[in-house]
Amino acid sequence: AQNSSGIGSGAIVDSAGNIVTNYHVISSVVDGSGRIQVTLTDGRIYEAKIIGTDKSTDLAVIRLVNPPSDLVAAQFGQSSDLKVGQPVMAIGSPLGLSNTVTTGIISALNRPVQVQASESQNQDNSKDPFGQLQQQGNQSQSITTNAIQVDASINPGNSGGPLFNEHGQVIGINSSIASLSSSSNSEAGSIGLGFAIPSDLVVSVVNQLIQNGTVDHARLGVTVTTGAARVGNDTRAGAQISGVSQGSGAGLKAGDVITKIDGNTVTSAQSLVGYVRRYTGGQEVSVTYVRDGVENTAKVTLQSEH
């Protein structure tokens, strides 16, 4: 950019030269005040231009200018098929060390992660670094993902790079790490808590960015906080509704606690936002909620954020 530079990683999407990376990797040149260069694994360097960005999922698509004819696109797998304990491999340029491979396992799935759209990914609250205990209001203002958590070593520079399964398929895009650093001036490093954006969400966002330059995200039309509800002898965590937008919610009301969406367990406000982020406006979802101690299920048509 005009007064700074940065480095990140990416994955080739197709032979046309489209590459997916993180929004925060190229955010400093979104206004056109800088340039992007892509170095392939064999050392060839190409200029690239921005095709589309989606800050809300921290994803972006860039395209090589005059791409070579021998590009090999990565194969994307389905993140919905992943299991905890499955081996994974990350490839990227941690701290500028290009073509670095690290391995590990999937530590958790659907981990709600809420981060800032910046390269540092630093959070002010060390006891709640990913905002999982905070109130979640306007979904469109949050950068929340139900991420793949891995213990593979991921460091600054790995951002935007691919996370592979044992079959060589991309099942996520590495995006953030947890850090014990208490200072915004300290460089965060791996402590074995890395997070990747699931490939199912990546493919949906990338396809929309290539086709339209923008992404249609869904919204449930409710304001929620992390809460709990009593059902029989059990107390269940979930997302408690504090407000419903006019014309939204299909029967949901303040006080209801959402515990599942399309069969996926909702454990917090951020968890709900992460699930809703995967859909587009107009899609219908099944919402399980608790009202007055009784569990109910409703079909809700999601709205578009645009």
Side-chain angles (χ1 to χ4, degrees):
Q2 186 173 357
N3 298 310
S4 65
S5 63
I7 189 169
S9 306
I12 298 172
V13 174
D14 54 35
S15 59
N18 288 307
I19 295 174
V20 60
T21 186
N22 282 142
Y23 170 84
H24 74 257
V25 170
I26 53 90
S27 61
S28 62
V29 295
V30 168
D31 61 359
S33 63
R35 57 193 291 216
I36 301 173
Q37 285 188 318
V38 174
T39 304
L40 302 183
T41 54
D42 60 9
R44 288 179 292 174
I45 300 176
Y46 291 86
E47 295 289 323
K49 60 182 180 180
I50 297 174
I51 298 301
T53 64
D54 184 43
K55 185 177 180 179
S56 65
T57 56
D58 195 20
L59 290 170
V61 173
I62 62 176
R63 181 179 297 163
L64 301 182
V65 177
N66 298 320
S69 59
D70 58 351
L71 282 180
V72 178
Q75 294 184 343
F76 283 78
Q78 291 187 318
S79 55
S80 58
D81 295 334
L82 298 178
K83 304 294 183 183
V84 173
Q86 189 173 331
V88 292
M89 178 177 69
I91 295 180
S93 299
L95 305 182
L97 301 174
S98 61
N99 301 332
T100 295
V101 174
T102 54
T103 62
I105 64 168
I106 295 176
S107 303
L109 294 169
N110 295 317
R111 179 72 75 195
V113 174
Q114 185 176 15
V115 296
Q116 299 171 345
S118 64
E119 177 65 29
S120 66
Q121 301 292 345
N122 287 331
Q123 301 295 310
D124 294 331
N125 187 349
S126 61
K127 294 182 179 180
D128 185 26
F130 296 109
Q132 299 189 64
L133 304 179
Q134 300 173 5
Q135 176 173 335
Q136 181 61 52
N138 189 340
Q139 296 176 11
S140 64
Q141 298 303 311
S142 67
I143 305 174
T144 304
T145 304
N146 282 354
I148 304 167
Q149 180 181 328
V150 299
D151 68 351
S153 181
I154 295 175
N155 288 281
N158 274 118
S159 292
L163 182 71
F164 291 97
N165 62 14
E166 63 270 37
H167 303 296
Q169 298 171 318
V170 179
I171 46 88
I173 295 297
N174 303 313
S175 60
S176 59
I177 61 174
S179 172
L180 297 178
S181 172
S182 59
S183 171
S184 60
N185 294 322
S186 300
E187 188 77 354
S190 173
I191 58 173
L193 295 172
F195 303 93
I197 304 168
S199 59
D200 292 349
L201 176 59
V202 173
V203 170
S204 174
V205 170
V206 166
N207 287 340
Q208 292 183 70
L209 288 177
I210 292 175
Q211 294 173 10
N212 309 315
T214 59
V215 178
D216 176 18
H217 286 299
R219 59 188 299 268
L220 189 56
V222 298
T223 302
V224 293
T225 60
T226 297
R230 188 82 174 174
V231 182
N233 296 324
D234 300 322
T235 300
R236 298 182 182 176
Q240 184 168 7
I241 299 175
S242 55
V244 180
S245 302
Q246 186 175 2
S248 304
L252 299 174
K253 66 179 185 180
D256 293 346
V257 176
I258 298 175
T259 56
K260 291 182 180 180
I261 182 167
D262 273 351
N264 296 300
T265 300
V266 173
T267 57
S268 65
Q270 283 67 32
S271 174
L272 175 64
V273 173
Y275 282 126
V276 172
R277 186 74 69 193
R278 298 178 178 180
Y279 298 91
T280 58
Q283 288 186 292
E284 186 179 72
V285 296
S286 175
V287 177
T288 301
Y289 62 95
V290 178
R291 179 184 296 170
D292 300 326
V294 179
E295 191 173 71
N296 307 276
T297 300
K299 294 289 186 180
V300 178
T301 299
L302 300 173
Q303 299 178 329
S304 175
E305 284 189 349
H306 300 297

